[in-house]
Amino acid sequence: ELQQQLDARAAHGKMQYDSQMAIIRQLDAKTRVPHLLIELRNLGFVEICGKDLGGIYQRLDDWFKQYFGAMDVQCVLKPYAEDNGCCANAALRLMPAEEWEQVSDKNYTCGAHMPDGRVAGNGIYKWRGAEGENNMGKLTMMVVNFMTNQCGWGLQLCDGGNLGREGQFREQQIKFKAPHPLNLIAPHIMIELRQVGYIEVNGVDTGGIFARLAQWLSQAWGASPVAADPNYCDLKFRCG
């Protein structure tokens, strides 16, 4: 009986998926400027959503596997009826994913996908200490530089957030707009202001911008440079 309930729930989920995809296809047909969303999650995941314009999914696939050690997600956590001898209980385990069970157009893990759904990280996502230090900005700019200066897509926005009781789970969404030739030559940097008193900079030092930025931060905010760990950021300052 429990398995029948789980099968009915799965069938209902597939119906919802088919209905939603029909609406999305209608919207896609009217879209004039394609966009792509890449989400980095320090729990060990990379997710991509959007149109596969100009073979961008294959280029991203090659790039993430080379530089992030990413692996395709083949399985998802699914409920099943577990018989313990006297009765059946609903439990979860990793099982091959159906198309309608995917939460993104492309999903990767950066490390081994464990039976309980967690990822045994391969070390690409880093964090340490009690002040929230992490390398999400560094990784974000790696993605941005690849998408803009190599693939020609335009950076639309970055939106980060922290989850978990202590804010230890970091997620970063990066949205790109359809390619334009000028994106191949436009440099980018990211400046991260941290409430604990640090300023971190990531990106390419184009036209001496790092020195100009250091001078401005010193004069305007009284910031002083501190040693930057290249695994976490390219330039670092402390205020106060």
Side-chain angles (χ1 to χ4, degrees):
E1 181 179 350
L2 177 58
Q3 187 59 54
Q4 291 177 347
Q5 294 176 3
L6 296 176
D7 291 342
R9 185 189 303 174
H12 179 68
K14 185 179 185 305
M15 288 178 57
Q16 284 187 316
Y17 171 83
D18 292 338
S19 175
Q20 292 168 352
M21 289 305 297
I23 296 173
I24 290 175
R25 282 191 290 269
Q26 292 177 13
L27 293 174
D28 269 352
K30 300 177 181 178
T31 300
R32 295 184 179 181
V33 181
H35 290 76
L36 197 72
L37 181 68
I38 300 176
E39 185 168 5
L40 309 179
R41 302 171 54 203
N42 76 345
L43 283 172
F45 296 94
V46 175
E47 298 175 0
I48 306 173
C49 293
K51 282 192 171 183
D52 186 10
L53 181 68
I56 189 61
Y57 272 61
Q58 185 58 57
R59 294 190 69 178
L60 282 168
D61 186 84
D62 295 339
W63 189 85
F64 274 118
K65 287 178 178 177
Q66 179 179 356
Y67 292 101
F68 276 52
M71 298 181 289
D72 297 309
V73 169
Q74 305 288 350
C75 299
V76 296
L77 280 176
K78 296 186 186 182
Y80 73 100
E82 182 181 55
D83 189 352
N84 59 13
C86 65
C87 57
N89 296 313
L92 295 172
R93 69 181 176 193
L94 276 183
M95 290 184 275
E98 302 290 343
E99 181 183 10
W100 56 272
E101 293 172 316
Q102 298 286 3
V103 296
S104 59
D105 293 321
K106 188 65 180 178
N107 199 353
Y108 300 94
T109 60
C110 296
H113 210 175
M114 307 300 287
D116 61 1
R118 293 180 299 169
V119 176
N122 61 7
I124 189 66
Y125 292 112
K126 303 181 186 299
W127 61 90
R128 65 186 177 190
E131 296 182 323
E133 188 176 16
N134 61 77
N135 71 333
M136 191 61 78
K138 182 91 171 180
L139 297 179
T140 297
M141 290 312 300
M142 287 175 59
V143 174
V144 168
N145 288 335
F146 172 71
M147 285 293 293
T148 58
N149 297 152
Q150 294 189 45
C151 300
W153 285 67
L155 176 64
Q156 192 80 7
L157 63 87
C158 287
D159 180 28
N162 291 72
L163 305 171
R165 183 182 296 273
E166 299 177 353
Q168 70 272 34
F169 304 134
R170 176 78 176 172
E171 297 185 353
Q172 181 88 325
Q173 294 181 333
I174 319 166
K175 186 178 180 182
F176 298 93
K177 192 167 66 172
H180 188 282
L182 290 178
N183 295 322
L184 294 168
I185 60 174
H188 297 79
I189 64 169
M190 173 180 282
I191 302 173
E192 188 171 359
L193 310 180
R194 299 177 52 207
Q195 191 177 11
V196 292
Y198 293 103
I199 301 169
E200 294 178 354
V201 182
N202 286 287
V204 180
D205 184 13
T206 304
I209 188 63
F210 280 9
R212 296 181 65 183
L213 182 60
Q215 183 179 14
W216 185 87
L217 288 172
S218 175
Q219 293 174 351
W221 289 2
S224 55
V226 296
D229 184 337
N231 291 314
Y232 284 79
C233 64
D234 295 318
L235 201 61
K236 189 172 184 176
F237 302 87
R238 184 173 183 87
C239 294

